Amino acid sequence: MEVLDIYDKNRQLTGKTMNRSQGKVALLDGEYVIQVKCWILNEENKVLLTQRRKDKYNGGMWEPTGGLVTTGETTIEAIKRELFEEIGFNLEFEPIITHYCDVVKSKNNELLHDLEIDFVININKSDIDVMLSEEHCDYKWVKRDSDLLDDYIKEKLVNIR
């Protein structure tokens, strides 16, 4: 069972926690969990995306690797854990923070109670052997203007180098 720390809008710990299985509906106004994402860019300036399995939440969606920060983790520890769990990435690296998003909303404009921190790492495609977790069914290296990307992701990629 994953336990998540609860933060305020300034990314400060509140001293509260929640079980992930409770879902974000358990969060009150002004309470958030931290979501981390990692944009992996290769030497061809393509980004690695994974596709969620159809039977998962947001099934079929293409996305960068990421997830929620668990209790006691730093954001760096969380993104390294997610990279290993989701795609088998276990190389030493120092991700660079590229973006903070203090209010994350769904495609339906619904507040998700997530504070998002995005990282980027640049690698040679030959340095990674993608091994997908059970959460995902496919992966692709795509250009930044790929039709697989929605407008929200394309907008983020504009500033990532």
Tab-separated table of all heavy atoms in Angstrom, residues 69-108:
chain	number	residue	atom	x	y	z
A	69	VAL	N	4.931	11.100	-5.576
A	69	VAL	CA	5.966	11.024	-4.544
A	69	VAL	C	5.358	10.346	-3.319
A	69	VAL	O	4.294	10.744	-2.846
A	69	VAL	CB	6.473	12.438	-4.181
A	69	VAL	CG1	7.493	12.385	-3.053
A	69	VAL	CG2	7.056	13.132	-5.405
A	70	THR	N	6.013	9.309	-2.815
A	70	THR	CA	5.514	8.607	-1.633
A	70	THR	C	6.119	9.206	-0.361
A	70	THR	O	7.099	9.959	-0.411
A	70	THR	CB	5.810	7.091	-1.699
A	70	THR	OG1	7.215	6.899	-1.786
A	70	THR	CG2	5.126	6.450	-2.888
A	71	THR	N	5.527	8.863	0.762
A	71	THR	CA	5.935	9.409	2.047
A	71	THR	C	7.435	9.234	2.280
A	71	THR	O	7.970	8.142	2.115
A	71	THR	CB	5.149	8.743	3.187
A	71	THR	OG1	3.772	9.058	3.006
A	71	THR	CG2	5.596	9.246	4.548
A	72	GLY	N	8.083	10.345	2.631
A	72	GLY	CA	9.503	10.323	2.956
A	72	GLY	C	10.439	10.450	1.775
A	72	GLY	O	11.649	10.590	1.958
A	73	GLU	N	9.933	10.406	0.556
A	73	GLU	CA	10.774	10.512	-0.638
A	73	GLU	C	11.021	11.961	-1.008
A	73	GLU	O	10.153	12.812	-0.835
A	73	GLU	CB	10.071	9.885	-1.854
A	73	GLU	CG	10.251	8.444	-2.047
A	73	GLU	CD	9.651	7.965	-3.361
A	73	GLU	OE1	8.562	8.425	-3.770
A	73	GLU	OE2	10.262	7.083	-3.964
A	74	THR	N	12.187	12.208	-1.583
A	74	THR	CA	12.414	13.476	-2.256
A	74	THR	C	11.879	13.340	-3.677
A	74	THR	O	11.637	12.219	-4.150
A	74	THR	CB	13.921	13.824	-2.317
A	74	THR	OG1	14.568	12.869	-3.180
A	74	THR	CG2	14.547	13.839	-0.937
A	75	THR	N	11.750	14.434	-4.374
A	75	THR	CA	11.280	14.357	-5.762
A	75	THR	C	12.300	13.634	-6.642
A	75	THR	O	11.917	12.910	-7.550
A	75	THR	CB	10.967	15.754	-6.329
A	75	THR	OG1	12.101	16.602	-6.169
A	75	THR	CG2	9.770	16.366	-5.635
A	76	ILE	N	13.584	13.816	-6.369
A	76	ILE	CA	14.626	13.120	-7.140
A	76	ILE	C	14.526	11.614	-6.906
A	76	ILE	O	14.586	10.815	-7.851
A	76	ILE	CB	16.044	13.618	-6.764
A	76	ILE	CG1	16.199	15.099	-7.066
A	76	ILE	CG2	17.122	12.790	-7.446
A	76	ILE	CD1	16.353	15.466	-8.514
A	77	GLU	N	14.369	11.208	-5.652
A	77	GLU	CA	14.218	9.780	-5.355
A	77	GLU	C	12.975	9.220	-6.038
A	77	GLU	O	12.996	8.116	-6.587
A	77	GLU	CB	14.117	9.553	-3.843
A	77	GLU	CG	15.407	9.822	-3.101
A	77	GLU	CD	15.235	9.893	-1.591
A	77	GLU	OE1	14.110	10.141	-1.101
A	77	GLU	OE2	16.244	9.713	-0.893
A	78	ALA	N	11.900	9.993	-6.034
A	78	ALA	CA	10.645	9.538	-6.640
A	78	ALA	C	10.789	9.346	-8.147
A	78	ALA	O	10.346	8.327	-8.688
A	78	ALA	CB	9.514	10.515	-6.334
A	79	ILE	N	11.424	10.294	-8.838
A	79	ILE	CA	11.521	10.156	-10.292
A	79	ILE	C	12.462	9.013	-10.658
A	79	ILE	O	12.212	8.272	-11.604
A	79	ILE	CB	11.901	11.481	-10.995
A	79	ILE	CG1	11.531	11.405	-12.488
A	79	ILE	CG2	13.351	11.848	-10.821
A	79	ILE	CD1	10.081	11.170	-12.790
A	80	LYS	N	13.511	8.816	-9.874
A	80	LYS	CA	14.408	7.682	-10.141
A	80	LYS	C	13.670	6.361	-9.917
A	80	LYS	O	13.828	5.414	-10.696
A	80	LYS	CB	15.664	7.777	-9.281
A	80	LYS	CG	16.607	8.869	-9.764
A	80	LYS	CD	17.885	8.916	-8.951
A	80	LYS	CE	18.844	9.948	-9.534
A	80	LYS	NZ	20.149	9.940	-8.865
A	81	ARG	N	12.861	6.283	-8.853
A	81	ARG	CA	12.077	5.067	-8.591
A	81	ARG	C	11.086	4.816	-9.726
A	81	ARG	O	10.971	3.703	-10.236
A	81	ARG	CB	11.328	5.200	-7.262
A	81	ARG	CG	10.384	4.019	-6.990
A	81	ARG	CD	9.593	4.196	-5.693
A	81	ARG	NE	8.923	5.464	-5.551
A	81	ARG	CZ	7.774	5.802	-6.167
A	81	ARG	NH1	7.176	4.956	-6.987
A	81	ARG	NH2	7.222	6.988	-5.967
A	82	GLU	N	10.371	5.852	-10.142
A	82	GLU	CA	9.379	5.697	-11.216
A	82	GLU	C	10.045	5.269	-12.523
A	82	GLU	O	9.517	4.420	-13.240
A	82	GLU	CB	8.590	6.996	-11.421
A	82	GLU	CG	7.631	7.324	-10.296
A	82	GLU	CD	6.440	6.383	-10.209
A	82	GLU	OE1	6.164	5.628	-11.161
A	82	GLU	OE2	5.770	6.392	-9.161
A	83	LEU	N	11.189	5.847	-12.851
A	83	LEU	CA	11.891	5.461	-14.074
A	83	LEU	C	12.276	3.989	-14.042
A	83	LEU	O	12.156	3.283	-15.046
A	83	LEU	CB	13.134	6.331	-14.273
A	83	LEU	CG	12.862	7.760	-14.734
A	83	LEU	CD1	14.091	8.629	-14.541
A	83	LEU	CD2	12.402	7.784	-16.179
A	84	PHE	N	12.722	3.514	-12.886
A	84	PHE	CA	13.084	2.105	-12.773
A	84	PHE	C	11.845	1.215	-12.828
A	84	PHE	O	11.807	0.221	-13.564
A	84	PHE	CB	13.882	1.840	-11.495
A	84	PHE	CG	14.294	0.408	-11.357
A	84	PHE	CD1	15.270	-0.126	-12.195
A	84	PHE	CD2	13.690	-0.421	-10.434
A	84	PHE	CE1	15.645	-1.465	-12.097
A	84	PHE	CE2	14.054	-1.758	-10.330
A	84	PHE	CZ	15.028	-2.278	-11.159
A	85	GLU	N	10.796	1.565	-12.069
A	85	GLU	CA	9.590	0.734	-12.017
A	85	GLU	C	8.864	0.665	-13.360
A	85	GLU	O	8.389	-0.384	-13.755
A	85	GLU	CB	8.612	1.282	-10.968
A	85	GLU	CG	9.026	1.059	-9.545
A	85	GLU	CD	8.082	1.699	-8.542
A	85	GLU	OE1	7.061	2.313	-8.943
A	85	GLU	OE2	8.349	1.589	-7.348
A	86	GLU	N	8.760	1.796	-14.054
A	86	GLU	CA	7.937	1.853	-15.261
A	86	GLU	C	8.662	1.444	-16.533
A	86	GLU	O	8.046	0.881	-17.432
A	86	GLU	CB	7.325	3.246	-15.423
A	86	GLU	CG	6.301	3.543	-14.345
A	86	GLU	CD	5.566	4.848	-14.560
A	86	GLU	OE1	5.747	5.502	-15.612
A	86	GLU	OE2	4.785	5.205	-13.663
A	87	ILE	N	9.977	1.758	-16.635
A	87	ILE	CA	10.671	1.446	-17.889
A	87	ILE	C	12.010	0.734	-17.682
A	87	ILE	O	12.755	0.531	-18.639
A	87	ILE	CB	10.868	2.701	-18.766
A	87	ILE	CG1	11.731	3.748	-18.059
A	87	ILE	CG2	9.520	3.280	-19.192
A	87	ILE	CD1	12.157	4.900	-18.965
A	88	GLY	N	12.347	0.392	-16.442
A	88	GLY	CA	13.579	-0.333	-16.180
A	88	GLY	C	14.835	0.508	-16.285
A	88	GLY	O	15.942	-0.015	-16.364
A	89	PHE	N	14.702	1.821	-16.258
A	89	PHE	CA	15.841	2.739	-16.400
A	89	PHE	C	16.580	2.817	-15.075
A	89	PHE	O	16.024	3.208	-14.059
A	89	PHE	CB	15.339	4.124	-16.808
A	89	PHE	CG	16.433	5.096	-17.124
A	89	PHE	CD1	16.979	5.135	-18.392
A	89	PHE	CD2	16.911	5.971	-16.169
A	89	PHE	CE1	17.984	6.038	-18.701
A	89	PHE	CE2	17.911	6.880	-16.464
A	89	PHE	CZ	18.453	6.911	-17.738
A	90	ASN	N	17.865	2.434	-15.096
A	90	ASN	CA	18.630	2.368	-13.854
A	90	ASN	C	20.023	2.966	-14.007
A	90	ASN	O	20.923	2.609	-13.275
A	90	ASN	CB	18.721	0.911	-13.386
A	90	ASN	CG	19.056	0.813	-11.924
A	90	ASN	OD1	18.848	1.744	-11.163
A	90	ASN	ND2	19.606	-0.322	-11.526
A	91	LEU	N	20.214	3.864	-14.949
A	91	LEU	CA	21.507	4.515	-15.120
A	91	LEU	C	21.645	5.655	-14.112
A	91	LEU	O	20.659	6.238	-13.690
A	91	LEU	CB	21.640	5.088	-16.536
A	91	LEU	CG	21.625	4.087	-17.684
A	91	LEU	CD1	21.667	4.815	-19.012
A	91	LEU	CD2	22.780	3.115	-17.571
A	92	GLU	N	22.882	5.975	-13.761
A	92	GLU	CA	23.117	7.120	-12.895
A	92	GLU	C	22.910	8.396	-13.705
A	92	GLU	O	23.402	8.515	-14.832
A	92	GLU	CB	24.532	7.089	-12.328
A	92	GLU	CG	24.686	6.152	-11.158
A	92	GLU	CD	23.764	6.484	-9.997
A	92	GLU	OE1	23.680	7.663	-9.590
A	92	GLU	OE2	23.109	5.548	-9.487
A	93	PHE	N	22.193	9.336	-13.150
A	93	PHE	CA	21.944	10.592	-13.832
A	93	PHE	C	21.484	11.620	-12.822
A	93	PHE	O	21.068	11.282	-11.720
A	93	PHE	CB	20.874	10.431	-14.923
A	93	PHE	CG	19.506	10.108	-14.357
A	93	PHE	CD1	18.580	11.109	-14.147
A	93	PHE	CD2	19.166	8.808	-14.019
A	93	PHE	CE1	17.344	10.810	-13.605
A	93	PHE	CE2	17.930	8.504	-13.492
A	93	PHE	CZ	17.010	9.518	-13.285
A	94	GLU	N	21.574	12.861	-13.205
A	94	GLU	CA	21.039	13.949	-12.397
A	94	GLU	C	19.985	14.658	-13.231
A	94	GLU	O	20.307	15.415	-14.143
A	94	GLU	CB	22.144	14.920	-11.985
A	94	GLU	CG	23.067	14.366	-10.919
A	94	GLU	CD	22.331	13.939	-9.650
A	94	GLU	OE1	21.424	14.654	-9.206
A	94	GLU	OE2	22.675	12.862	-9.119
A	95	PRO	N	18.723	14.400	-12.932
A	95	PRO	CA	17.673	15.071	-13.706
A	95	PRO	C	17.649	16.567	-13.405
A	95	PRO	O	17.985	16.991	-12.306
A	95	PRO	CB	16.398	14.385	-13.217
A	95	PRO	CG	16.738	13.868	-11.865
A	95	PRO	CD	18.206	13.561	-11.881
A	96	ILE	N	17.270	17.331	-14.387
A	96	ILE	CA	17.185	18.779	-14.256
A	96	ILE	C	15.711	19.161	-14.155
A	96	ILE	O	14.891	18.743	-14.980
A	96	ILE	CB	17.820	19.460	-15.488
A	96	ILE	CG1	19.288	19.056	-15.602
A	96	ILE	CG2	17.669	20.974	-15.420
A	96	ILE	CD1	19.908	19.395	-16.936
A	97	ILE	N	15.387	19.946	-13.136
A	97	ILE	CA	13.996	20.413	-13.016
A	97	ILE	C	13.735	21.424	-14.120
A	97	ILE	O	14.497	22.364	-14.320
A	97	ILE	CB	13.739	21.051	-11.638
A	97	ILE	CG1	13.864	19.997	-10.542
A	97	ILE	CG2	12.361	21.715	-11.594
A	97	ILE	CD1	13.724	20.532	-9.134
A	98	THR	N	12.642	21.211	-14.848
A	98	THR	CA	12.320	22.111	-15.957
A	98	THR	C	11.044	22.903	-15.743
A	98	THR	O	10.823	23.894	-16.407
A	98	THR	CB	12.133	21.315	-17.259
A	98	THR	OG1	11.020	20.429	-17.090
A	98	THR	CG2	13.376	20.548	-17.606
A	99	HIS	N	10.199	22.441	-14.826
A	99	HIS	CA	8.868	23.045	-14.768
A	99	HIS	C	8.194	22.713	-13.443
A	99	HIS	O	8.282	21.594	-12.961
A	99	HIS	CB	8.038	22.465	-15.928
A	99	HIS	CG	6.653	22.997	-16.016
A	99	HIS	ND1	6.362	24.231	-16.508
A	99	HIS	CD2	5.480	22.446	-15.653
A	99	HIS	CE1	5.052	24.409	-16.462
A	99	HIS	NE2	4.498	23.346	-15.944
A	100	TYR	N	7.562	23.709	-12.869
A	100	TYR	CA	6.669	23.492	-11.730
A	100	TYR	C	5.268	23.872	-12.182
A	100	TYR	O	5.079	24.882	-12.851
A	100	TYR	CB	7.018	24.404	-10.551
A	100	TYR	CG	8.302	24.077	-9.858
A	100	TYR	CD1	9.456	24.807	-10.121
A	100	TYR	CD2	8.369	23.058	-8.923
A	100	TYR	CE1	10.638	24.530	-9.470
A	100	TYR	CE2	9.552	22.761	-8.263
A	100	TYR	CZ	10.673	23.509	-8.539
A	100	TYR	OH	11.840	23.221	-7.895
A	101	CYS	N	4.303	23.095	-11.812
A	101	CYS	CA	2.914	23.423	-12.124
A	101	CYS	C	2.128	23.289	-10.828
A	101	CYS	O	2.034	22.198	-10.262
A	101	CYS	CB	2.353	22.478	-13.175
A	101	CYS	SG	0.671	22.871	-13.654
A	102	ASP	N	1.627	24.404	-10.335
A	102	ASP	CA	1.016	24.390	-9.018
A	102	ASP	C	-0.438	23.963	-8.993
A	102	ASP	O	-0.960	23.649	-7.941
A	102	ASP	CB	1.158	25.762	-8.357
A	102	ASP	CG	2.609	26.025	-7.978
A	102	ASP	OD1	3.345	25.043	-7.793
A	102	ASP	OD2	2.997	27.176	-7.886
A	103	VAL	N	-1.109	23.957	-10.109
A	103	VAL	CA	-2.487	23.475	-10.140
A	103	VAL	C	-2.634	22.601	-11.376
A	103	VAL	O	-2.577	23.093	-12.491
A	103	VAL	CB	-3.512	24.633	-10.195
A	103	VAL	CG1	-4.918	24.101	-10.258
A	103	VAL	CG2	-3.353	25.551	-8.990
A	104	VAL	N	-2.768	21.325	-11.172
A	104	VAL	CA	-2.898	20.402	-12.289
A	104	VAL	C	-4.369	20.069	-12.461
A	104	VAL	O	-5.066	19.745	-11.507
A	104	VAL	CB	-2.082	19.107	-12.047
A	104	VAL	CG1	-2.284	18.128	-13.172
A	104	VAL	CG2	-0.612	19.451	-11.891
A	105	LYS	N	-4.821	20.166	-13.701
A	105	LYS	CA	-6.216	19.845	-14.004
A	105	LYS	C	-6.261	18.758	-15.059
A	105	LYS	O	-5.344	18.596	-15.847
A	105	LYS	CB	-6.949	21.090	-14.496
A	105	LYS	CG	-7.053	22.161	-13.417
A	105	LYS	CD	-7.916	23.304	-13.841
A	105	LYS	CE	-8.046	24.293	-12.693
A	105	LYS	NZ	-8.926	25.392	-13.040
A	106	SER	N	-7.355	18.022	-15.062
A	106	SER	CA	-7.547	16.973	-16.058
A	106	SER	C	-7.956	17.614	-17.375
A	106	SER	O	-8.187	18.817	-17.462
A	106	SER	CB	-8.635	16.005	-15.588
A	106	SER	OG	-9.897	16.639	-15.657
A	107	LYS	N	-8.091	16.783	-18.393
A	107	LYS	CA	-8.540	17.287	-19.695
A	107	LYS	C	-9.956	17.860	-19.607
A	107	LYS	O	-10.349	18.673	-20.420
A	107	LYS	CB	-8.479	16.176	-20.740
A	107	LYS	CG	-7.063	15.801	-21.092
A	107	LYS	CD	-7.014	14.712	-22.131
A	107	LYS	CE	-5.583	14.350	-22.411
A	107	LYS	NZ	-5.451	13.305	-23.387
A	108	ASN	N	-10.711	17.442	-18.585
A	108	ASN	CA	-12.063	17.967	-18.377
A	108	ASN	C	-12.056	19.189	-17.469
A	108	ASN	O	-13.092	19.609	-16.981
A	108	ASN	CB	-12.965	16.889	-17.765
A	108	ASN	CG	-13.083	15.692	-18.657
A	108	ASN	OD1	-13.059	15.811	-19.874
A	108	ASN	ND2	-13.196	14.517	-18.060
